[in-house]
Amino acid sequence: MLNRVILIGRLTKDPELRYTPAGVAVTQFTLAVDRPFTNSQSKEREADFINIVTWRQLAETCANYLRKGRLTAVEGRIQVRNYDNNEGKRVYVTEVIADNVRFLESSNSASSREEGGSNANASYGGGSGGGNRGGGSREQQDPFIDDGKPIDISDDDLPF
C-alpha cells in the first residue's frame, strides 16, 4: 500500500499552533494549490485548498516561520477522520499529515514579491527542526540574485 502526497502552494493564512493535553505541539494551516488548467468560461486558474497538519517540532517550526502567502512544499500522507457535529451529523475531514515541509521562499522574498522583487532560494527542512541553510547577507544566500542577467563564463570554467 502507498499513501504519499507532495504539494506546492501558498498558505491562505498564518498557521495555528496548539498543544494537546499531553503537551504535544500541533499546527494546522491551509495550502492553496493551483490547478494545472484554467476555467473554460472565466479563463481563470482555479485552486484547491488543502488542509495540512504538522506535529511536534515540525509544528513549532512551521508556526514560527510560515506566514500567509508563503510558497511552501509539503510532503506527507492523506488521512480521513470523522466526528459527529452538534447536530448529530457525521462530518468527514480529509487532511494531509505532513512529515516534511520545505519553505520555498525566505521571509525577505515574500515581502519583496509583494513589491515586485525576485524570489530567494532559501530552503528549510522539516522533521528534525529545520533552519536556515545559509548565513550572512541575502546576496550570499541567494546565488541567483542577478537572475535574468548574462553570466560571464568561459569554456574553461565548464566541467564538460
Side-chain angles (χ1 to χ4, degrees), residues 28-85:
Q28 295 181 311
F29 57 91
T30 302
L31 207 62
V33 180
D34 286 341
R35 291 183 178 171
F37 52 85
T38 58
N39 186 318
S40 61
Q41 295 161 346
S42 67
K43 303 294 184 210
E44 292 183 12
R45 186 164 293 228
E46 295 180 0
D48 292 301
F49 298 90
I50 313 293
N51 296 322
I52 311 294
V53 178
T54 59
W55 290 90
R56 297 175 184 78
Q57 181 63 42
L58 181 57
E60 292 177 340
T61 301
C62 288
N64 289 332
Y65 295 104
L66 284 179
R67 294 291 173 256
K68 177 182 177 178
R70 293 274 305 269
L71 186 65
T72 305
V74 172
E75 182 179 0
R77 62 184 171 82
I78 294 175
Q79 177 175 292
V80 179
R81 60 183 172 87
N82 63 70
Y83 63 93
D84 293 328
N85 67 10

Side-chain angles (χ1 to χ4, degrees), residues 1-152:
M1 314 279 172
L2 180 65
N3 181 357
R4 291 303 289 168
V5 61
I6 299 172
L7 302 167
I8 297 177
R10 294 195 181 275
L11 271 73
T12 61
K13 62 181 180 178
D14 290 353
E16 296 177 21
L17 176 63
R18 296 187 181 144
Y19 290 89
T20 67
V24 178
V26 57
T27 301
Q28 295 181 311
F29 57 91
T30 302
L31 207 62
V33 180
D34 286 341
R35 291 183 178 171
F37 52 85
T38 58
N39 186 318
S40 61
Q41 295 161 346
S42 67
K43 303 294 184 210
E44 292 183 12
R45 186 164 293 228
E46 295 180 0
D48 292 301
F49 298 90
I50 313 293
N51 296 322
I52 311 294
V53 178
T54 59
W55 290 90
R56 297 175 184 78
Q57 181 63 42
L58 181 57
E60 292 177 340
T61 301
C62 288
N64 289 332
Y65 295 104
L66 284 179
R67 294 291 173 256
K68 177 182 177 178
R70 293 274 305 269
L71 186 65
T72 305
V74 172
E75 182 179 0
R77 62 184 171 82
I78 294 175
Q79 177 175 292
V80 179
R81 60 183 172 87
N82 63 70
Y83 63 93
D84 293 328
N85 67 10
N86 295 340
E87 300 162 358
K89 291 189 136 192
R90 177 135 310 178
V91 177
Y92 291 89
V93 179
T94 302
E95 52 201 6
V96 172
I97 309 302
D99 53 36
N100 192 5
V101 174
R102 298 278 178 184
F103 306 166
L104 300 180
E105 293 178 326
S106 69
S107 59
N108 292 341
S109 68
S111 61
S112 68
R113 178 177 45 85
E114 293 169 1
E115 299 166 5
S118 64
N119 291 340
N121 289 320
S123 178
Y124 298 84
S128 61
N132 193 338
R133 291 192 179 175
S137 70
R138 182 169 178 215
E139 287 80 15
Q140 291 172 338
Q141 292 178 6
D142 188 0
F144 303 105
I145 195 78
D146 295 324
D147 191 29
K149 296 179 183 173
I151 299 173
D152 183 28

